[in-house]
Amino acid sequence: MHIFEGRKYKVIVMKKILFLGAIFIFGNILQAQTQGWLTWYELSGYLETPRYDKTIEYCKQLDNFSPLVQYTSFGKSPQGRDLPLLIIDKNQNFTPESVRASGNAVLLIEACIHAGESEGKDAGLMLIRDIVIHKKYPELLDHVTILFIPIFNVDGHERFSPYNRINQNGPKEMGWRTTAQNLNLNRDFIKADAPEMQQWLKIYTSWLPDFFIDVHTTDGADYQYKITYGMNVYGNMNSQHTDWQNKYMAEIEEMLKIDNVLIFPYVSFRQWHDPRSGLIHGIGSPRYSTGYSAVQNRPALLIETHMLKDYKTRVEATYHMIRHSLEIMNKDYEHLIEINKNADKEVASKEYREKELAVNYETSSDSSIVKFKGIDYDIITSDLTGDLWFVYGKEKKDFEIVSFEKQKPVDFVKLPDAYVIPVEWTEIINRLSLHGIQYKTIEKPIEIEVELTRFTNVSFARSSFEGRQMVQDMGMQTLTAKKEFPAGSVIVEMNQRTALVIAHLLEPIAPDSYLRWGFFNPIFERKEYVETYVMEKMARDMIAENPKLKVEYDNEVVKNPEIYNNQYAKLFWFFARTPYWDQQLNLYPIGKIYDLNQINYL
Ligand SMILES: [Zn+2]
């Protein structure tokens, strides 16, 4: 009886919920329609950006109203918010497989990775509405499927305040730069510590967008440009991709002139704040959005709107830049898809591994003179700090300025046919799948000839960075040895499209390798110690057996007084020459395999 009553009650409640839900959805559609589908930003007179709930509500309205839009979530944030994703497709294909089969190119637009930088959210919502509701630019969906993340850093977004961006001119209130765990998502692409990033990587690797636009607001100097941008055009991508991005940028620069939007490469002065020092460019490593896209063989655009322009100017400039990007992609989608596929094939090939791979770049001292549309400024000596104060005026001024943009590769690695990761390094193995990396697990212990690396003179960063203690510098010696790897260890073959991601993860010298990010820090710790009175005696026994040892020891101590400045250090010299010394200390556990024939997976 109770059960029956309970069920009846539930049915009534469910019906009520459905009814109220229908009214709610209908009410929202009605509300949006009566307001001409105006966004929160427009209704506020272009001064405000909507909170998380209002943003999601608008996204869901677009989904409810237009069959071309699907609202979905790609996971949950640490504070329990849905991570939102809108998929917009003319043929209502909403899965990576169906979109790929349709021949469309995929554009990923990401906003609010730094949640206080919200132009991408407001521009994106308006543009999608203008395409699917107002039918202003229906042709922008002809050959392109749009993935739109209106807010990536959802928890940081709700740390809402007028005081989150000290240099920035609006909106009235905004989100915070980092996540609830105080991680900067735009340093996390390759190390993938943040739960948000781990879930983002799953959608990224399943969709593999042909082009990726990441929208930010910059800090830095004053100038006339509404937008500065970053692209991988300085030599870290292959020539087809470099040419495509250069051509795209030249085209978009022309298109944006009509919209009165001036753009320029990301502005960074050689001496911070001092325009006289000249401009300097660099290559973003894979911790950043565009740097990560490059190692996934895909072009990307970093938009940095200029923080001193008012919010409306910034949102409109972003709107135009994304709209024109869609125009170019629609025109060039087949070629873009083709060069992406070519790059995938190229990095997986045997020939690719025969060349050395550059992993670190430095800005060369070659420079050129460029025209820079700046703002007039005075330099005064501050009576408060005693330092230079660049006081920007209101007058536009065109400068001729020295620019350093040429990059030279400085560190190279030799790529193996495969890497082997011992089973116990589970955190590393778990990260592989997040990046779409395929690997094979060995079922029985196996002895393989591998190339190993031993580190010397390892130094660490003095302070924590993104919750990790990074390795700053190290010497490396390579050795070849037969080594046994336990069952469950994994073989990561390089004949796959993620070869560059693998190399950047596992080659210690790479700028964002897992070794540099501190994933392997325990290997640098000495775990067994010797008592001085034991070693004092043993050292004498060793010298008695091999008198030459004393000569060697004396030479070392004289040569390196700063190292051998105490009893422990001196006795450790002998300890390291006993069979008790830990042979695994400073030894990188990951091996490089140059002969895959040695491996039988069973
Ligand atoms: Zn940013």
Side-chain angles (χ1 to χ4, degrees):
M1 196 62 187
H2 284 291
I3 294 168
F4 175 70
E5 270 183 2
R7 279 167 72 184
K8 195 168 144 195
Y9 175 72
K10 259 192 194 162
V11 170
I12 293 167
V13 169
M14 276 309 290
K15 276 188 179 162
K16 265 196 175 164
I17 289 173
L18 285 174
F19 179 66
L20 288 173
I23 286 182
F24 178 73
I25 291 165
F26 183 68
N28 278 334
I29 292 172
L30 211 62
Q31 192 190 15
Q33 280 181 293
T34 51
Q35 291 163 346
W37 282 93
L38 291 175
T39 62
W40 182 278
Y41 153 78
E42 290 165 308
L43 289 168
S44 74
Y46 316 105
L47 299 172
E48 294 177 24
T49 193
R51 298 292 294 257
Y52 172 82
D53 284 346
K54 291 289 168 197
T55 307
I56 302 302
E57 200 176 279
Y58 196 88
C59 290
K60 286 183 176 171
Q61 284 172 15
L62 288 168
D63 174 332
N64 287 330
F65 192 80
S66 170
L68 313 188
V69 178
Q70 189 180 77
Y71 170 82
T72 178
S73 160
F74 61 94
K76 284 234 186 269
S77 71
Q79 289 184 338
R81 293 185 181 88
D82 285 334
L83 297 163
L85 172 70
L86 279 182
I87 308 167
I88 301 104
D89 184 280
K90 190 184 178 180
N91 305 309
Q92 302 176 46
N93 290 317
F94 298 120
T95 64
E97 297 73 28
S98 58
V99 169
R100 219 166 284 146
S102 75
N104 264 16
V106 178
L107 169 66
L108 169 62
I109 306 160
E110 177 181 273
C112 295
I113 183 171
H114 293 148
E117 307 167 13
S118 49
E119 295 87 334
K121 171 181 51 170
D122 290 313
L125 290 176
M126 288 195 302
L127 182 61
I128 291 164
R129 172 207 57 199
D130 289 348
I131 297 171
V132 301
I133 307 290
H134 295 335
K135 312 282 182 195
K136 259 170 110 173
Y137 322 104
E139 71 283 359
L140 295 184
L141 293 181
D142 281 353
H143 304 292
V144 178
T145 301
I146 302 172
L147 306 179
F148 177 52
I149 298 175
I151 307 172
F152 182 13
N153 175 14
V154 290
D155 293 344
H157 189 276
E158 292 307 282
R159 187 175 161 185
F160 216 63
S161 159
Y163 304 112
N164 282 347
R165 294 274 297 162
I166 191 169
N167 304 314
Q168 191 171 298
N169 181 8
K172 266 187 186 160
E173 290 180 88
M174 65 208 65
W176 182 252
R177 181 176 181 81
T178 51
T179 67
Q181 296 170 329
N182 208 26
L183 291 174
N184 183 344
L185 291 172
N186 203 24
R187 303 294 180 273
D188 198 38
F189 280 87
I190 199 155
K191 79 177 156 61
D193 280 338
E196 294 93 328
M197 183 55 74
Q198 296 187 353
Q199 297 170 95
W200 183 93
L201 286 168
K202 285 181 199 160
I203 57 147
Y204 181 84
T205 54
S206 61
W207 282 93
L208 277 179
D210 294 288
F211 191 41
F212 171 26
I213 302 179
D214 188 27
V215 188
H216 293 250
T217 320
T218 194
D219 286 323
D222 197 3
Y223 40 72
Q224 298 172 40
Y225 307 102
K226 292 178 183 173
I227 283 180
T228 63
Y229 62 84
M231 281 198 119
N232 293 299
V233 291
Y234 298 118
N236 61 326
M237 292 194 82
N238 74 14
S239 59
Q240 283 193 320
H241 271 139
T242 308
D243 292 348
W244 188 86
Q245 292 178 99
N246 278 326
K247 194 168 154 264
Y248 158 89
M249 196 41 76
E251 260 182 77
I252 216 155
E253 207 174 329
E254 286 307 308
M255 293 162 118
L256 283 169
K257 277 182 190 162
I258 299 162
D259 308 303
N260 193 25
V261 176
L262 283 178
I263 61 169
F264 195 76
Y266 187 76
V267 172
S268 188
F269 296 126
R270 284 209 300 164
Q271 279 157 29
W272 197 239
H273 288 167
D274 192 343
R276 300 167 304 175
S277 65
L279 293 162
I280 188 160
H281 300 284
I283 287 176
S285 66
R287 72 180 63 173
Y288 302 104
S289 56
T290 47
Y292 183 72
S293 190
V295 297
Q296 285 279 6
N297 321 320
R298 296 292 179 271
L301 168 71
L302 173 80
I303 292 183
E304 293 273 0
T305 73
H306 187 222
M307 83 290 189
L308 298 179
K309 308 285 185 285
D310 63 62
Y311 192 53
K312 183 170 188 264
T313 302
R314 279 151 42 209
V315 172
E316 280 176 3
T318 306
Y319 178 100
H320 292 308
M321 194 152 190
I322 298 173
R323 179 166 63 86
H324 294 314
S325 299
L326 278 162
E327 285 166 5
I328 294 173
M329 276 184 80
N330 269 285
K331 210 173 53 185
D332 205 27
Y333 71 103
E334 280 172 318
H335 178 58
L336 178 60
I337 291 172
E338 188 193 315
I339 64 171
N340 287 341
K341 274 190 193 155
N342 290 349
D344 285 350
K345 261 192 229 145
E346 182 192 359
V347 301
S349 69
K350 180 81 185 159
E351 300 77 66
Y352 193 78
R353 295 195 284 284
E354 277 156 13
K355 296 173 289 184
E356 288 201 309
L357 174 72
V359 289
N360 281 308
Y361 295 83
E362 250 175 35
T363 306
S364 134
S365 54
D366 286 0
S367 63
S368 58
I369 300 289
V370 297
K371 288 188 165 47
F372 181 70
K373 292 192 167 299
I375 301 290
D376 201 12
Y377 60 87
D378 286 325
I379 305 171
I380 57 177
T381 302
S382 161
D383 55 359
L384 192 63
T385 62
D387 224 322
L388 294 185
W389 180 8
F390 292 85
V391 185
Y392 286 101
K394 294 221 177 299
E395 292 301 309
K396 292 175 181 175
K397 189 173 172 182
D398 291 355
F399 295 85
E400 299 228 315
I401 192 168
V402 60
S403 174
F404 296 82
E405 56 187 53
K406 268 199 194 133
Q407 301 294 313
K408 58 169 189 216
V410 286
D411 289 312
F412 294 89
V413 295
K414 192 170 169 239
L415 296 176
D417 282 345
Y419 295 88
V420 50
I421 307 175
V423 61
E424 63 273 16
W425 292 94
T426 39
E427 218 184 326
I428 309 297
I429 296 171
N430 291 340
R431 293 286 203 280
L432 298 176
S433 311
L434 290 177
H435 292 288
I437 297 166
Q438 312 282 321
Y439 59 86
K440 294 174 183 162
T441 305
I442 51 172
E443 306 271 316
K444 284 183 190 161
I446 182 174
E447 198 183 60
I448 330 176
E449 189 178 280
V450 287
E451 186 183 283
L452 293 167
T453 302
R454 192 181 291 283
F455 301 102
T456 57
N457 305 323
V458 179
S459 64
F460 297 93
R462 284 173 65 188
S463 53
S464 164
F465 181 59
E466 292 302 311
R468 291 186 167 272
Q469 188 188 18
M470 291 193 78
V471 174
Q472 197 164 290
D473 214 354
M474 70 271 195
M476 297 199 299
Q477 293 162 352
T478 53
L479 56 142
T480 303
K482 283 219 163 206
K483 192 181 167 189
E484 187 172 293
F485 292 88
S489 298
V490 306
I491 309 285
V492 189
E493 293 185 15
M494 290 293 273
N495 56 356
Q496 51 179 315
R497 61 161 301 282
T498 51
L500 289 181
V501 187
I502 300 167
H504 273 269
L505 290 179
L506 300 182
E507 286 292 340
I509 196 80
D512 284 326
S513 70
Y514 280 0
L515 183 113
R516 283 205 193 264
W517 273 111
F519 284 79
F520 291 97
N521 281 0
I523 68 167
F524 303 120
E525 296 169 15
R526 195 156 58 202
K527 301 294 189 180
E528 277 287 353
Y529 289 85
V530 60
E531 297 302 343
T532 52
Y533 63 88
V534 172
M535 201 62 241
E536 286 278 3
K537 181 176 180 306
M538 204 183 277
R540 280 164 180 76
D541 294 346
M542 288 162 75
I543 292 168
E545 210 171 286
N546 177 9
K548 274 191 206 153
L549 215 53
K550 177 71 168 61
V551 183
E552 264 182 63
Y553 164 76
D554 287 341
N555 283 342
E556 275 296 306
V557 172
V558 171
K559 253 196 324 203
N560 302 300
E562 69 292 347
I563 299 174
Y564 299 103
N565 61 359
N566 64 70
Q567 185 188 25
Y568 282 102
K570 288 173 181 169
L571 289 176
F572 268 125
W573 189 88
F574 288 98
F575 183 18
R577 280 152 185 81
T578 71
Y580 295 97
W581 184 256
D582 178 9
Q583 292 302 321
Q584 290 189 29
L585 181 67
N586 296 326
L587 187 70
Y588 191 40
I590 293 181
K592 289 167 84 164
I593 303 171
Y594 290 97
D595 175 15
L596 272 171
N597 292 325
Q598 321 173 59
I599 301 162
N600 176 1
Y601 290 102
L602 295 175

